[in-house]
Each structure stands twice: as structure tokens, then as C-alpha cells.
Amino acid sequence: MRTLFDWLEFKDVGDELSLNAAESYVRGAITMYYYAIFSAIREYLVKIKKQYQFLNNKDIHRRVWEYLVSTNDYNENEVGEFLSNTRSVRNLANYDKEHDYDYFIDKLDEIRGDIENIVNSIIFLRDNPSLW
């Protein structure tokens, strides 16, 4: 039986990309880290918390992090803050040619410093649905 894809595996892709210092890999790592967290938490919201409003894609990134930072759950707040702070960096990594390489290296270092805690928060939320 095939298991469903775990969005957190995108973090592993980010880890692999971040081993290469080429700018395209650095930008790609930022994108993979962001989508690992965004996709995993969105799936948690829909499948575990039954927050079906997050099936609608309209302005989904903003709506997800705004919801998370407004709850009374520490782990959800932490994930929401990460998404809020990282989304603009992810957009720049995907679309911007004005920021230089050092900017993205610095941002990647910041994201990598936070990513394990954020992943652990999502795993905790998924594994402990009765706590919310």
C-alpha cells in the first residue's frame, strides 16, 4: 500500500540544495524550506483540524499564517510567525533579481536556524490532535 507524501520531505530537499553554494541552489533551498512548512501545516489544518476554508487557494498563504498566529496554541503561533517571516524571502528567492547573493545566504542561514524547531512543532501538532 502506498503511503501519502509527507510535505515535510521538502525540508530534506532544501537540506540537499543548501549543500551547494551556487545561487540557484540557495534560492531553491529557501523555496523548499518554505513549502515544506506551508504545505505540511495546511494539510494539518484541513485534515486534522477540519478547517476546510483552507482548501480554497485564494490568498491562501496569507490566510494560513494569519489563522495560525491568531490561535491560542504556541506551536501554531510559532509556525505562523515562521511562514509570515519567510514568505517574503521565498517570493524574493523565486522572482527577484535585485537582491544580491549575500542577502540570500544570510536569509538561508536564518531559515536553517529555525527550520528544525518549526518541523518539530508541526510533528507535535500532527501527533497530538487531542490537545487543541
Side-chain angles (χ1 to χ4, degrees):
M1 182 170 142
R2 184 176 185 273
T3 59
L4 294 178
F5 179 71
D6 184 353
W7 294 108
L8 291 177
E9 290 181 24
F10 276 166
K11 182 209 168 278
D12 299 336
V13 176
D15 290 342
E16 288 295 318
L17 289 170
S18 70
L19 296 174
N20 188 318
E23 185 170 353
S24 58
Y25 285 76
V26 170
R27 287 173 179 246
I30 291 168
T31 298
M32 288 295 99
Y33 286 141
Y34 176 82
Y35 276 108
I37 302 307
F38 172 78
S39 299
I41 200 66
R42 182 182 184 193
E43 183 174 69
Y44 155 80
L45 290 172
V46 172
K47 290 187 175 180
I48 295 175
K49 289 196 74 173
K50 310 296 186 209
Q51 296 294 316
Y52 298 119
Q53 70 268 27
F54 298 115
L55 289 172
N56 179 329
N57 287 329
K58 183 169 175 47
D59 207 18
I60 189 65
H61 296 267
R62 181 190 54 78
R63 289 188 303 116
V64 165
W65 63 258
E66 281 182 351
Y67 173 85
L68 293 168
V69 299
S70 71
T71 70
N72 292 324
D73 184 279
Y74 171 80
N75 291 294
E76 289 181 356
N77 293 165
E78 186 175 53
V79 174
E81 288 295 327
F82 176 87
L83 289 174
S84 173
N85 295 333
T86 307
R87 181 165 184 231
S88 62
V89 176
R90 194 272 307 168
N91 282 341
L92 291 172
N94 290 162
Y95 306 113
D96 183 81
K97 292 178 86 175
E98 302 301 316
H99 287 78
D100 66 5
Y101 174 76
D102 290 335
Y103 172 83
F104 291 109
I105 287 290
D106 290 344
K107 292 301 180 182
L108 179 59
D109 287 344
E110 289 175 21
I111 292 168
R112 288 180 68 188
D114 294 335
I115 196 78
E116 288 299 328
N117 287 337
I118 301 303
V119 166
N120 289 335
S121 290
I122 292 173
I123 292 170
F124 178 83
L125 288 166
R126 292 193 312 200
D127 291 350
N128 298 283
S130 63
L131 295 178
W132 47 261

